[in-house]
């Protein structure tokens, strides 16, 4: 009797702050062309708990194994939400990876501020945005200027309070994980990214890319996600090619 093959992993993509699910628009077609099931979460970026709740809703709708991917702020979200038993691996893309009890704010403060942080504006009500100059010069500096300007217009606000919210559980402690460092990042400290990858004992790679490697180098980002999917599929289907 031939053993039946279990369900293939679904890739769940979690975007960062000042962004939405369209951040993954160039990675998604590559994954779909591989025949993978893909879900892009639309997080409200209103608080860590709200974003974790949105990601959990997406996970609840999936019956099989999941490879959970987070970019930037989305790394904190997948760190918390990724303890769902369906999540078999995590991929961090220039992302925060707090340990239990840590906040993104304190992690940012461990290293000198990258240039983009000087270009954050407050609307007077505790909601933060990045200036157009910040998008052009720092966030999307390896993208066409027109695209960076569009992203600046589209960005949703981020409450400053999110930087003080503690992660209470760290999924990367109990799951295989991958980390893609953006070596030319001007938003999240490159040294901090390398520290995360080392602390998590991640399968690490580094791109000569800015913060938005998922837009500037989507094939390289997709390749790592596919590697994670293949490893999970092999673990879920032992003895099968």
């Amino acid at each position: 009797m031939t053993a039946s093959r279990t369900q293939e992993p679904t890739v769940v993509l979690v975007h960062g702050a000042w962004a939405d699910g369209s951040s993954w628009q160039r990675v998604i077609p590559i994954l779909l062309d591989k025949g993978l099931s893909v879900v892009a979460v639309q997080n409200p970026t209103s608080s860590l708990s709200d974003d974790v709740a949105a990601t959990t809703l997406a996970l609840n709708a999936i019956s099989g194994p999941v490879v959970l991917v987070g970019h930037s702020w989305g790394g904190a979200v997948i760190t918390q939400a990724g303890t769902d038993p369906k999540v078999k691996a995590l991929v961090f893309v220039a992302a925060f990876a707090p340990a239990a009890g840590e906040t993104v704010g304190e992690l940012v403060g461990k290293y000198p501020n990258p240039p983009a942080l000087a270009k954050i504006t407050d609307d007077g009500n505790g909601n933060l945005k990045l200036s157009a100059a910040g998008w052009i010069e720092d966030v999307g500096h390896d993208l066409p200027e027109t695209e960076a300007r569009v992203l600046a217009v589209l960005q949703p606000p981020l409450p400053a309070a999110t930087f003080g919210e503690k992660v209470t559980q760290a999924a990367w402690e109990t799951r295989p994980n991958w980390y893609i460092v953006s070596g030319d990042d001007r938003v999240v400290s490159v040294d901090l990214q390398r520290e995360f990858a080392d602390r998590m004992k991640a399968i690490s790679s580094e791109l000569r890319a800015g913060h938005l490697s998922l837009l500037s180098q989507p094939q390289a980002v997709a390749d790592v996600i596919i590697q994670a999917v293949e490893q999970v599929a092999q673990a879920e289907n032992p003895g099968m090619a």
Side-chain angles (χ1 to χ4, degrees), residues 42-240:
Q42 295 286 1
N43 280 330
T45 65
S46 49
S47 69
L48 177 62
S49 59
D50 288 348
D51 287 3
V52 168
T55 301
T56 299
L57 279 176
L59 294 174
N60 289 344
I62 298 168
S63 59
V66 169
V67 172
L68 188 56
V69 186
H71 173 246
S72 193
W73 161 256
V77 178
I78 71 170
T79 292
Q80 181 82 14
T83 55
D84 185 298
K86 290 190 291 290
V87 176
K88 305 300 181 183
L90 303 166
V91 181
F92 294 81
V93 184
F96 292 99
E102 290 180 340
T103 69
V104 168
E106 68 186 90
L107 292 169
V108 169
K110 291 184 69 174
Y111 292 92
N113 281 346
L117 299 193
K119 296 166 185 171
I120 292 175
T121 60
D122 190 314
D123 68 355
N125 295 303
N127 296 309
L128 309 178
K129 284 189 173 183
L130 279 160
S131 69
W135 281 91
I136 295 165
E137 298 167 7
D138 301 316
V139 185
H141 64 90
D142 55 349
L143 297 173
E145 181 176 329
T146 300
E147 185 172 359
R149 287 186 181 278
V150 170
L151 293 172
V153 171
L154 290 172
Q155 65 176 316
L158 178 73
T162 58
F163 290 98
E165 293 180 73
K166 289 185 178 181
V167 166
T168 60
Q169 51 193 6
W172 52 260
E173 293 181 348
T174 55
R175 287 157 176 77
N177 55 84
W178 283 254
Y179 199 105
I180 306 173
V181 176
S182 284
D184 291 337
D185 206 316
R186 296 170 63 83
V187 182
V188 178
S189 164
V190 177
D191 288 333
L192 180 60
Q193 292 180 46
R194 293 170 181 153
E195 180 182 319
F196 287 143
D198 183 64
R199 178 169 74 169
M200 295 190 297
K201 298 179 172 57
I203 299 171
S204 179
S205 56
E206 186 160 331
L207 299 177
R208 186 68 181 271
H211 189 59
L212 295 177
S213 60
L214 63 176
L215 288 173
S216 64
Q217 296 191 37
Q219 184 67 59
V221 172
D223 285 347
V224 174
I225 296 170
I226 291 166
Q227 182 185 74
V229 168
E230 289 174 345
Q231 182 166 310
V232 169
Q234 186 174 26
E236 294 290 301
N237 301 280
M240 288 187 175

Side-chain angles (χ1 to χ4, degrees), residues 8-57:
E8 292 290 333
T10 297
V11 177
V12 177
L13 304 168
V14 181
H15 63 81
W18 300 302
D20 61 23
S22 66
S23 301
W24 300 101
Q25 63 185 285
R26 292 184 185 141
V27 172
I28 290 169
I30 300 170
L31 301 178
L32 293 176
D33 283 347
K34 283 284 186 179
L36 299 177
S37 297
V38 183
V39 174
V41 180
Q42 295 286 1
N43 280 330
T45 65
S46 49
S47 69
L48 177 62
S49 59
D50 288 348
D51 287 3
V52 168
T55 301
T56 299
L57 279 176

